[in-house]
Amino acid sequence: MATASLSQPAQKPQVRQTQLFIDGQWTPAKSGKTFTTINPATEEVIAQVAEGDAADVEVAVDAARRAFDEGPWPRMDARERGRLMLRLCDLIEEEIDELAALEALDNGKPVSDARHGDIPLALDALRYYAGWADKIHGQTIPINGNYFCYTRREPVGVAGQIIPWNFPILMAAWKWGPALAAGCTIVMKPAEQTPLTCLRLARLAQKAGIPDGVINVVPGFGPTAGAAIVKHPGIDKVAFTGSGETAQIIMRQAADSLKRLTFELGGKSPNIVFADADLDAAAVGAHVGIYLN
């Protein structure tokens, strides 16, 4: 196979999911609005995607809240949660070529990068956390008196998750994995530039048997859908990957409800180059670290 063919999808993937995924249903935005997702290589329109905002986040949080407070997910045997996560991985693997082509179409990266890098790494992450599902332990603590003292780790609740455009499938896996293993439910906003593979993953999660309401995906924009996730009192934790400036906004907006926050923020992978290093190799390594994607 010629090297050039590895950087292009063999065929244009089918775009099947363009609506919001809430409580196991595909639905248009309440406003009726859509936004355009484009092929960065050609600037051609790929599809119109439902544009969620605060009204849609409200419905998604209600679904996630019910799934957590009343549904089976946090109450089922932890090994069963892990088994369903592994089933999701199997389904991703079955569609890996289609997913890689869709990721390349929406994101602009070479399909070979998605097929041999991003998606295998996403599978590694999901399988890793699936293995942790039944290994979340507390501690016994010696104290004064005739008492038995112990700690118990429990799911925090509804997790709001906001991810960027650069590694859409991988970022979704990094966010979903620990939340699902712990028994949390999810409201995710993918980047408006790259919503398509996250929506496809939601379909596969439902097919794997993950109960409705556990995973909800609301495409949209940061100042509307993203801000609504951060401010909503029914969300217990926000996990965000993006810029430090946006994280500062999130911290301020989350303060009123005392949400737990996890951030992975922007940076350009600083290097320490020692005096005896191969400077040419160090320069190449630094360049790849910044510009690989």
Side-chain angles (χ1 to χ4, degrees):
M1 181 180 293
T3 302
S5 66
L6 291 175
S7 64
Q8 297 295 330
Q11 58 184 11
K12 185 175 180 179
Q14 293 185 13
V15 178
R16 301 186 182 95
Q17 290 80 34
T18 59
Q19 294 185 309
L20 314 179
F21 184 73
I22 298 176
D23 205 13
Q25 302 294 318
W26 298 101
T27 179
K30 285 190 170 295
S31 66
K33 291 182 180 179
T34 62
F35 65 92
T36 300
T37 185
I38 66 167
N39 179 347
T42 64
E43 298 188 352
E44 293 176 339
V45 173
I46 301 171
Q48 297 294 326
V49 178
E51 181 186 333
D53 58 22
D56 304 291
V57 168
E58 184 72 32
V59 178
V61 174
D62 286 347
R65 192 81 255 168
R66 284 194 308 274
F68 183 78
D69 293 338
E70 305 167 17
W73 187 249
R75 295 163 186 82
M76 71 172 57
D77 188 295
R79 289 168 294 185
E80 178 66 8
R81 281 202 303 273
R83 188 189 69 79
L84 292 175
M85 292 175 67
L86 291 173
R87 174 60 180 151
L88 169 59
C89 292
D90 292 341
L91 293 173
I92 292 171
E93 212 154 35
E94 288 176 10
E95 295 193 11
I96 190 168
D97 291 322
E98 174 84 1
L99 282 165
L102 188 61
E103 188 87 324
L105 181 70
D106 206 18
N107 172 274
K109 67 179 62 191
V111 69
S112 57
D113 285 9
R115 172 62 177 81
H116 301 292
D118 298 30
I119 301 178
L121 288 171
L123 290 168
D124 285 348
L126 288 171
R127 286 177 172 140
Y128 173 83
Y129 285 109
W132 268 108
D134 62 352
K135 301 174 185 68
I136 302 172
H137 306 304
Q139 295 177 310
T140 58
I141 303 169
I143 60 172
N144 290 330
N146 187 26
Y147 304 103
F148 178 65
C149 180
Y150 68 96
T151 60
R152 171 186 169 94
R153 295 187 180 273
E154 296 182 344
V156 69
V158 178
Q161 302 179 340
I162 303 171
I163 57 173
W165 56 266
N166 54 347
F167 293 91
I169 287 178
L170 184 56
M171 292 290 176
W174 284 358
K175 295 288 189 283
W176 287 11
L180 292 175
C184 294
T185 59
I186 293 166
V187 177
M188 172 167 275
K189 189 196 87 68
E192 61 270 22
Q193 299 90 344
T194 53
L196 297 180
T197 48
C198 184
L199 292 168
R200 182 72 62 88
L201 290 181
R203 180 184 72 85
L204 295 179
Q206 185 179 47
K207 186 177 179 181
I210 293 175
D212 293 343
V214 172
I215 295 173
N216 305 274
V217 180
V218 183
F221 295 89
T224 50
I229 288 173
V230 172
K231 295 175 183 177
H232 199 291
I235 288 181
D236 302 291
K237 174 186 174 65
V238 171
F240 167 76
T241 296
S243 72
E245 293 81 3
T246 302
Q248 290 175 329
I249 295 170
I250 291 173
M251 291 183 76
R252 288 192 288 267
Q253 293 180 342
D256 289 342
S257 55
L258 293 176
K259 285 181 176 60
R260 303 185 189 196
L261 302 173
T262 302
F263 293 144
E264 180 200 0
L265 303 181
K268 289 278 40 111
S269 306
N271 291 262
I272 297 175
V273 182
F274 290 98
D276 60 348
D278 181 333
L279 294 182
D280 289 337
V284 171
H287 181 272
V288 170
I290 295 174
Y291 295 114
L292 172 68
N293 197 54

